[in-house]
Every structure is written in structure tokens, then in C-alpha cells.
Amino acid sequence: MKKRKIIKIDEDKCNGCGLCVPSCHEGAIKIIDGKAKVIEDVCDGLGACLGNCPQGAISIEERNVADHHPSCACPGSVVKDLRKQEEEKVSCLSNWPVQIKLVPVGAQYFDGADLVIAADCTAFSYTNFHEDFLKGKLLLIGCPKLDDADFYQEKFTEIFKTHHINSLTCLHMEVPCCFGLVKLVEEAITASGKNIKFEDVTISIKGKRL
């Protein structure tokens, strides 16, 4: 478990005036049934709303949260299935968020998905990343060198256990540290007990598929 700061609203003090709503840049406070409510998955815990409550009903508290919960959630991490918005799309991206740390394990778009887990540098190195790897697939990105490898493996395992993944492509750079992503994915597949069609793709620093 990890600790995370989050806004707390004392409903006994809150009179529903709504002054706190516009001060929350994350859109995490709503007036519901005459009281201010916090949308916890969106709250960043920074407390921009604190000085805007004349009743003194707002405070910050620290809570234990599950490891897969974003440490700083925001509207930009709200789950979206972009496959339902084909007429608006100008890319092959099918889901949001794409960062491994932000995507929730329970996101329904994983069910029956063809999933690409990519080291984040690959999208910048390979010119036709969208066309060749993303069309009709879901994407998760991260860096096996800079991020927590144990967190990645645990989260991958939970995603694979929770959902039926149709196929999985692991996309990484040719540099040695990037190959760790393949191992994490393979170990997560094994730990999940699932039989998932798996493809390992290496991209060179010059942007070629090896």
C-alpha cells in the first residue's frame, strides 16, 4: 500500500455554496444533493480549493491506496475507449490513458483486446508507429529503466488475470536496459496462468524494426 494525499470535505460543515468548485482545476469537486463531493480518482490532493471554503469544511488527509492507484490523478487520466469515437479520430490510438501507471486494471476495454506494451521511446524512434503497431490495438507505455519494475510486473499480472487478452505485442528498443520489459511481460503472463499469444519486437535506435 502507498500513501496519497486527498481532499476531505466535512458534510456537516458544507452548506453547498459551490465556491470550491471553480477553484479545483482538476474538476474533482461537484455539488451533489446540496453538498460538495470529491471525486477521489480525479483529486490531485494539492489543495487549491482549501482557501475558497467560507465554512472551513475542506481539509487534506493522507490515505493508504492500492499500488495500482495513480499517485496523482487528474481529468487527463479518466478512462476513455476511443474506438467508440472513430469519426473524431485522427490517429490509431484506441484507449486513454496509455501510461502503465495511470491505466486502471479494471478498464473494460482490455476484454478481448490485442494489446501493445511499448517502451515509450519506440513511438519516437519508429516513424510508422501508429500505422504498423497501433491499428486496431490497445496501448500501454512505460520505461522499464526509469520506473518500478516490480510495479509493472504486478500490474501486468493483474490485467492478464482480470481480462481475456487476445494477443500481446511487446515493443522495445535495442538498448540493453529496454529488454527488461520483455522479461517483465513474460513473467507476468506466466504468473497470470493465461495462455496469451505473444510477440517480441525490437526497434533500433535508427528507427528500424529488427
Side-chain angles (χ1 to χ4, degrees), residues 18-40:
L19 292 177
C20 55
V21 174
S23 64
C24 178
H25 301 297
E26 308 300 330
I29 300 179
K30 305 291 183 184
I31 302 299
I32 301 174
D33 296 330
K35 298 285 185 177
K37 306 282 187 180
V38 176
I39 303 172
E40 295 188 2

PDB file of all heavy atoms in Angstrom, residues 18-40:
ATOM      1  N   GLY A  18     -20.800  26.081  -3.243  1.00  0.00           N
ATOM      2  CA  GLY A  18     -20.178  25.844  -4.539  1.00  0.00           C
ATOM      3  C   GLY A  18     -18.950  26.681  -4.847  1.00  0.00           C
ATOM      4  O   GLY A  18     -18.407  26.607  -5.954  1.00  0.00           O
ATOM      5  N   LEU A  19     -18.481  27.495  -3.887  1.00  0.00           N
ATOM      6  CA  LEU A  19     -17.308  28.335  -4.152  1.00  0.00           C
ATOM      7  C   LEU A  19     -16.042  27.514  -4.407  1.00  0.00           C
ATOM      8  O   LEU A  19     -15.107  27.984  -5.056  1.00  0.00           O
ATOM      9  CB  LEU A  19     -17.076  29.287  -2.971  1.00  0.00           C
ATOM     10  CG  LEU A  19     -18.137  30.373  -2.768  1.00  0.00           C
ATOM     11  CD1 LEU A  19     -17.808  31.194  -1.515  1.00  0.00           C
ATOM     12  CD2 LEU A  19     -18.204  31.279  -3.990  1.00  0.00           C
ATOM     13  N   CYS A  20     -16.020  26.296  -3.900  1.00  0.00           N
ATOM     14  CA  CYS A  20     -14.834  25.452  -4.068  1.00  0.00           C
ATOM     15  C   CYS A  20     -14.745  24.841  -5.464  1.00  0.00           C
ATOM     16  O   CYS A  20     -13.673  24.456  -5.922  1.00  0.00           O
ATOM     17  CB  CYS A  20     -14.826  24.330  -3.040  1.00  0.00           C
ATOM     18  SG  CYS A  20     -16.341  23.326  -3.051  1.00  0.00           S
ATOM     19  N   VAL A  21     -15.881  24.755  -6.156  1.00  0.00           N
ATOM     20  CA  VAL A  21     -15.924  24.051  -7.446  1.00  0.00           C
ATOM     21  C   VAL A  21     -15.015  24.689  -8.497  1.00  0.00           C
ATOM     22  O   VAL A  21     -14.169  24.002  -9.085  1.00  0.00           O
ATOM     23  CB  VAL A  21     -17.373  23.945  -7.964  1.00  0.00           C
ATOM     24  CG1 VAL A  21     -17.386  23.332  -9.371  1.00  0.00           C
ATOM     25  CG2 VAL A  21     -18.210  23.095  -7.015  1.00  0.00           C
ATOM     26  N   PRO A  22     -15.135  25.993  -8.786  1.00  0.00           N
ATOM     27  CA  PRO A  22     -14.276  26.577  -9.830  1.00  0.00           C
ATOM     28  C   PRO A  22     -12.803  26.651  -9.441  1.00  0.00           C
ATOM     29  O   PRO A  22     -11.945  26.787 -10.319  1.00  0.00           O
ATOM     30  CB  PRO A  22     -14.866  27.982 -10.025  1.00  0.00           C
ATOM     31  CG  PRO A  22     -15.556  28.288  -8.744  1.00  0.00           C
ATOM     32  CD  PRO A  22     -16.101  26.979  -8.258  1.00  0.00           C
ATOM     33  N   SER A  23     -12.504  26.559  -8.151  1.00  0.00           N
ATOM     34  CA  SER A  23     -11.101  26.645  -7.732  1.00  0.00           C
ATOM     35  C   SER A  23     -10.359  25.332  -7.937  1.00  0.00           C
ATOM     36  O   SER A  23      -9.127  25.284  -7.848  1.00  0.00           O
ATOM     37  CB  SER A  23     -11.013  27.054  -6.258  1.00  0.00           C
ATOM     38  OG  SER A  23     -11.587  26.063  -5.429  1.00  0.00           O
ATOM     39  N   CYS A  24     -11.096  24.251  -8.196  1.00  0.00           N
ATOM     40  CA  CYS A  24     -10.467  22.948  -8.431  1.00  0.00           C
ATOM     41  C   CYS A  24     -10.210  22.791  -9.925  1.00  0.00           C
ATOM     42  O   CYS A  24     -11.128  22.535 -10.709  1.00  0.00           O
ATOM     43  CB  CYS A  24     -11.354  21.810  -7.931  1.00  0.00           C
ATOM     44  SG  CYS A  24     -10.655  20.183  -8.247  1.00  0.00           S
ATOM     45  N   HIS A  25      -8.944  22.944 -10.320  1.00  0.00           N
ATOM     46  CA  HIS A  25      -8.591  22.882 -11.743  1.00  0.00           C
ATOM     47  C   HIS A  25      -8.741  21.471 -12.306  1.00  0.00           C
ATOM     48  O   HIS A  25      -8.793  21.285 -13.522  1.00  0.00           O
ATOM     49  CB  HIS A  25      -7.166  23.372 -11.948  1.00  0.00           C
ATOM     50  CG  HIS A  25      -6.937  24.774 -11.481  1.00  0.00           C
ATOM     51  ND1 HIS A  25      -7.592  25.840 -12.032  1.00  0.00           N
ATOM     52  CD2 HIS A  25      -6.150  25.280 -10.495  1.00  0.00           C
ATOM     53  CE1 HIS A  25      -7.211  26.957 -11.421  1.00  0.00           C
ATOM     54  NE2 HIS A  25      -6.352  26.646 -10.480  1.00  0.00           N
ATOM     55  N   GLU A  26      -8.788  20.469 -11.425  1.00  0.00           N
ATOM     56  CA  GLU A  26      -8.918  19.092 -11.885  1.00  0.00           C
ATOM     57  C   GLU A  26     -10.381  18.691 -12.108  1.00  0.00           C
ATOM     58  O   GLU A  26     -10.661  17.619 -12.626  1.00  0.00           O
ATOM     59  CB  GLU A  26      -8.303  18.126 -10.852  1.00  0.00           C
ATOM     60  CG  GLU A  26      -6.889  18.466 -10.445  1.00  0.00           C
ATOM     61  CD  GLU A  26      -5.937  18.467 -11.615  1.00  0.00           C
ATOM     62  OE1 GLU A  26      -6.183  17.712 -12.569  1.00  0.00           O
ATOM     63  OE2 GLU A  26      -4.955  19.210 -11.591  1.00  0.00           O
ATOM     64  N   GLY A  27     -11.313  19.547 -11.679  1.00  0.00           N
ATOM     65  CA  GLY A  27     -12.728  19.207 -11.820  1.00  0.00           C
ATOM     66  C   GLY A  27     -13.149  18.086 -10.894  1.00  0.00           C
ATOM     67  O   GLY A  27     -14.062  17.307 -11.184  1.00  0.00           O
ATOM     68  N   ALA A  28     -12.482  18.006  -9.729  1.00  0.00           N
ATOM     69  CA  ALA A  28     -12.714  16.881  -8.808  1.00  0.00           C
ATOM     70  C   ALA A  28     -13.807  17.147  -7.789  1.00  0.00           C
ATOM     71  O   ALA A  28     -14.128  16.264  -7.005  1.00  0.00           O
ATOM     72  CB  ALA A  28     -11.408  16.539  -8.083  1.00  0.00           C
ATOM     73  N   ILE A  29     -14.358  18.360  -7.769  1.00  0.00           N
ATOM     74  CA  ILE A  29     -15.407  18.678  -6.791  1.00  0.00           C
ATOM     75  C   ILE A  29     -16.719  18.968  -7.521  1.00  0.00           C
ATOM     76  O   ILE A  29     -16.753  19.774  -8.454  1.00  0.00           O
ATOM     77  CB  ILE A  29     -15.014  19.885  -5.922  1.00  0.00           C
ATOM     78  CG1 ILE A  29     -13.717  19.594  -5.156  1.00  0.00           C
ATOM     79  CG2 ILE A  29     -16.131  20.226  -4.939  1.00  0.00           C
ATOM     80  CD1 ILE A  29     -13.254  20.737  -4.285  1.00  0.00           C
ATOM     81  N   LYS A  30     -17.775  18.316  -7.084  1.00  0.00           N
ATOM     82  CA  LYS A  30     -19.100  18.509  -7.666  1.00  0.00           C
ATOM     83  C   LYS A  30     -20.094  18.774  -6.529  1.00  0.00           C
ATOM     84  O   LYS A  30     -19.911  18.292  -5.412  1.00  0.00           O
ATOM     85  CB  LYS A  30     -19.556  17.263  -8.430  1.00  0.00           C
ATOM     86  CG  LYS A  30     -18.595  16.780  -9.508  1.00  0.00           C
ATOM     87  CD  LYS A  30     -18.532  17.728 -10.683  1.00  0.00           C
ATOM     88  CE  LYS A  30     -17.623  17.179 -11.776  1.00  0.00           C
ATOM     89  NZ  LYS A  30     -17.472  18.136 -12.904  1.00  0.00           N
ATOM     90  N   ILE A  31     -21.133  19.523  -6.822  1.00  0.00           N
ATOM     91  CA  ILE A  31     -22.216  19.712  -5.860  1.00  0.00           C
ATOM     92  C   ILE A  31     -23.273  18.647  -6.143  1.00  0.00           C
ATOM     93  O   ILE A  31     -23.879  18.624  -7.208  1.00  0.00           O
ATOM     94  CB  ILE A  31     -22.846  21.113  -5.963  1.00  0.00           C
ATOM     95  CG1 ILE A  31     -21.782  22.199  -5.736  1.00  0.00           C
ATOM     96  CG2 ILE A  31     -23.978  21.258  -4.951  1.00  0.00           C
ATOM     97  CD1 ILE A  31     -21.127  22.147  -4.365  1.00  0.00           C
ATOM     98  N   ILE A  32     -23.440  17.752  -5.182  1.00  0.00           N
ATOM     99  CA  ILE A  32     -24.387  16.651  -5.331  1.00  0.00           C
ATOM    100  C   ILE A  32     -25.312  16.631  -4.118  1.00  0.00           C
ATOM    101  O   ILE A  32     -24.848  16.591  -2.975  1.00  0.00           O
ATOM    102  CB  ILE A  32     -23.649  15.301  -5.437  1.00  0.00           C
ATOM    103  CG1 ILE A  32     -22.682  15.325  -6.644  1.00  0.00           C
ATOM    104  CG2 ILE A  32     -24.630  14.146  -5.556  1.00  0.00           C
ATOM    105  CD1 ILE A  32     -21.810  14.096  -6.744  1.00  0.00           C
ATOM    106  N   ASP A  33     -26.598  16.689  -4.401  1.00  0.00           N
ATOM    107  CA  ASP A  33     -27.600  16.706  -3.321  1.00  0.00           C
ATOM    108  C   ASP A  33     -27.324  17.806  -2.305  1.00  0.00           C
ATOM    109  O   ASP A  33     -27.449  17.614  -1.090  1.00  0.00           O
ATOM    110  CB  ASP A  33     -27.652  15.347  -2.611  1.00  0.00           C
ATOM    111  CG  ASP A  33     -28.106  14.222  -3.531  1.00  0.00           C
ATOM    112  OD1 ASP A  33     -28.893  14.510  -4.458  1.00  0.00           O
ATOM    113  OD2 ASP A  33     -27.654  13.084  -3.330  1.00  0.00           O
ATOM    114  N   GLY A  34     -26.895  18.967  -2.814  1.00  0.00           N
ATOM    115  CA  GLY A  34     -26.709  20.128  -1.957  1.00  0.00           C
ATOM    116  C   GLY A  34     -25.435  20.149  -1.152  1.00  0.00           C
ATOM    117  O   GLY A  34     -25.242  21.022  -0.300  1.00  0.00           O
ATOM    118  N   LYS A  35     -24.511  19.224  -1.415  1.00  0.00           N
ATOM    119  CA  LYS A  35     -23.243  19.172  -0.707  1.00  0.00           C
ATOM    120  C   LYS A  35     -22.097  19.009  -1.703  1.00  0.00           C
ATOM    121  O   LYS A  35     -22.253  18.393  -2.757  1.00  0.00           O
ATOM    122  CB  LYS A  35     -23.213  17.988   0.276  1.00  0.00           C
ATOM    123  CG  LYS A  35     -24.258  18.052   1.382  1.00  0.00           C
ATOM    124  CD  LYS A  35     -23.894  19.085   2.451  1.00  0.00           C
ATOM    125  CE  LYS A  35     -24.885  19.043   3.602  1.00  0.00           C
ATOM    126  NZ  LYS A  35     -24.509  20.000   4.690  1.00  0.00           N
ATOM    127  N   ALA A  36     -20.932  19.556  -1.354  1.00  0.00           N
ATOM    128  CA  ALA A  36     -19.748  19.372  -2.188  1.00  0.00           C
ATOM    129  C   ALA A  36     -19.206  17.955  -1.995  1.00  0.00           C
ATOM    130  O   ALA A  36     -19.081  17.484  -0.864  1.00  0.00           O
ATOM    131  CB  ALA A  36     -18.676  20.397  -1.819  1.00  0.00           C
ATOM    132  N   LYS A  37     -18.923  17.287  -3.086  1.00  0.00           N
ATOM    133  CA  LYS A  37     -18.393  15.927  -3.048  1.00  0.00           C
ATOM    134  C   LYS A  37     -17.081  15.876  -3.828  1.00  0.00           C
ATOM    135  O   LYS A  37     -16.922  16.555  -4.837  1.00  0.00           O
ATOM    136  CB  LYS A  37     -19.381  14.942  -3.680  1.00  0.00           C
ATOM    137  CG  LYS A  37     -20.781  14.991  -3.097  1.00  0.00           C
ATOM    138  CD  LYS A  37     -20.875  14.284  -1.772  1.00  0.00           C
ATOM    139  CE  LYS A  37     -22.329  14.205  -1.307  1.00  0.00           C
ATOM    140  NZ  LYS A  37     -22.472  13.529  -0.008  1.00  0.00           N
ATOM    141  N   VAL A  38     -16.169  15.031  -3.353  1.00  0.00           N
ATOM    142  CA  VAL A  38     -14.882  14.865  -4.024  1.00  0.00           C
ATOM    143  C   VAL A  38     -14.899  13.597  -4.866  1.00  0.00           C
ATOM    144  O   VAL A  38     -15.272  12.521  -4.389  1.00  0.00           O
ATOM    145  CB  VAL A  38     -13.720  14.773  -3.006  1.00  0.00           C
ATOM    146  CG1 VAL A  38     -12.401  14.506  -3.722  1.00  0.00           C
ATOM    147  CG2 VAL A  38     -13.627  16.054  -2.204  1.00  0.00           C
ATOM    148  N   ILE A  39     -14.509  13.730  -6.131  1.00  0.00           N
ATOM    149  CA  ILE A  39     -14.318  12.562  -6.988  1.00  0.00           C
ATOM    150  C   ILE A  39     -12.878  12.116  -6.764  1.00  0.00           C
ATOM    151  O   ILE A  39     -11.930  12.709  -7.292  1.00  0.00           O
ATOM    152  CB  ILE A  39     -14.551  12.916  -8.468  1.00  0.00           C
ATOM    153  CG1 ILE A  39     -15.959  13.500  -8.640  1.00  0.00           C
ATOM    154  CG2 ILE A  39     -14.369  11.677  -9.352  1.00  0.00           C
ATOM    155  CD1 ILE A  39     -16.220  14.053 -10.026  1.00  0.00           C
ATOM    156  N   GLU A  40     -12.699  11.098  -5.951  1.00  0.00           N
ATOM    157  CA  GLU A  40     -11.368  10.747  -5.460  1.00  0.00           C
ATOM    158  C   GLU A  40     -10.390  10.356  -6.555  1.00  0.00           C
ATOM    159  O   GLU A  40      -9.196  10.630  -6.463  1.00  0.00           O
ATOM    160  CB  GLU A  40     -11.483   9.629  -4.425  1.00  0.00           C
ATOM    161  CG  GLU A  40     -12.227  10.063  -3.176  1.00  0.00           C
ATOM    162  CD  GLU A  40     -12.178   9.023  -2.079  1.00  0.00           C
ATOM    163  OE1 GLU A  40     -11.532   7.983  -2.276  1.00  0.00           O
ATOM    164  OE2 GLU A  40     -12.777   9.257  -1.011  1.00  0.00           O
TER     165      GLU A  40
END
